[in-house]
Amino acid sequence: MPADPLHSAGNPQRSMTSQPPSGLGVSAIEVRRSARRRRTVSAYREGDRTVVLIPARMSEAEEKRWVTVMLNKLAAQESKRVLGDAELTERAERLSAQYFDGRARPASVRWVTNQNTRWGSCTPAEGSIRLSHRLQGMPEYVVDYVLCHELAHLLVPGHGPDFWRLLEAYPRTERARGYLEGVVAADRLPHPPGVRDE
């Protein structure tokens, strides 16, 4: 595991939180306590894991609160990053190499604003993939899932068993589908939860 040069002094105590706070979309959280750290809390992504650095003296309740704060902060920072069409194409090529042995070769990958009922679409004959602009700002694993879904259509046009077997190569398929289902369900609510008519 690569060392974090900004926080490598001393031997921090480590603890794993196997279940992150619900709704935060993180698979694993590692909390590192350091006696040298007095007041500051920081966090960063390390693969599929989020590392949260806290002072050693912090109570368990403070730790839980700060983990939630830092996960929300990281998610907000990540949601501001929007990929351009060229970056989207590079990402699709990388995903194809990683999950489909490079066999799915899109001719074009781009954002579109005219897809309000679909997350993505693909025209296998042309090799074109289009992603709805509504995905912009969603977690990277969700965008990657939609890209993988459309890449799989370049190899298998329909939604039969062969298609779903192919898509199983992407390890976060179920999680991303759950996220998108939640977004659709939230859009159907009459108003945001917790908001009352006055």
Side-chain angles (χ1 to χ4, degrees):
M1 172 167 51
D4 175 11
L6 296 176
H7 306 97
S8 59
N11 292 320
Q13 300 170 352
R14 296 177 183 204
S15 65
M16 291 297 286
T17 304
S18 57
Q19 290 295 325
S22 62
L24 293 174
V26 176
S27 54
I29 301 164
E30 180 178 332
V31 176
R32 295 181 187 169
R33 293 175 171 266
S34 171
R36 295 182 61 134
R37 189 174 278 271
R38 296 283 177 227
R39 289 180 291 185
T40 60
V41 176
S42 62
Y44 60 93
R45 303 279 193 216
E46 192 173 81
D48 277 352
R49 175 192 346 218
T50 300
V51 177
V52 181
L53 307 162
I54 64 172
R57 63 171 174 71
M58 220 176 243
S59 70
E60 248 183 78
E62 289 176 306
E63 174 183 319
K64 286 182 182 177
R65 184 178 75 79
W66 275 107
V67 165
T68 300
V69 166
M70 297 312 288
L71 289 174
N72 286 332
K73 191 174 183 177
L74 281 175
Q77 290 170 352
E78 290 168 353
S79 72
K80 291 177 185 171
R81 275 188 254 146
V82 177
L83 301 173
D85 289 350
E87 295 162 311
L88 202 57
T89 300
E90 288 173 18
R91 190 180 200 110
E93 290 168 355
R94 193 168 57 249
L95 289 167
S96 175
Q98 186 173 0
Y99 298 111
F100 306 117
D101 298 321
R103 294 179 296 132
R105 294 188 184 105
S108 68
V109 184
R110 61 191 175 93
W111 295 109
V112 294
T113 57
N114 62 350
Q115 287 189 154
N116 294 316
T117 58
R118 294 178 175 192
W119 297 113
S121 62
C122 172
T123 307
E126 297 172 3
S128 62
I129 292 175
R130 295 159 304 281
L131 297 190
S132 172
H133 71 286
R134 295 178 305 134
L135 288 166
Q136 293 175 337
M138 289 190 187
E140 290 179 1
Y141 75 91
V142 175
V143 176
D144 285 352
Y145 162 72
V146 177
L147 277 171
C148 283
H149 185 105
E150 301 310 330
L151 286 166
H153 277 310
L154 292 178
L155 303 171
V156 180
H159 285 106
D162 290 342
F163 171 82
W164 293 110
R165 253 190 309 278
L166 188 62
L167 194 53
E168 283 175 2
Y170 182 64
R172 294 174 135 188
T173 292
E174 289 306 313
R175 187 170 164 202
R177 289 183 67 178
Y179 183 98
L180 293 171
E181 287 170 6
V183 170
V184 169
D187 285 346
R188 291 183 182 147
L189 293 174
H191 44 70
V195 175
R196 295 185 186 149
D197 294 331
E198 295 185 19

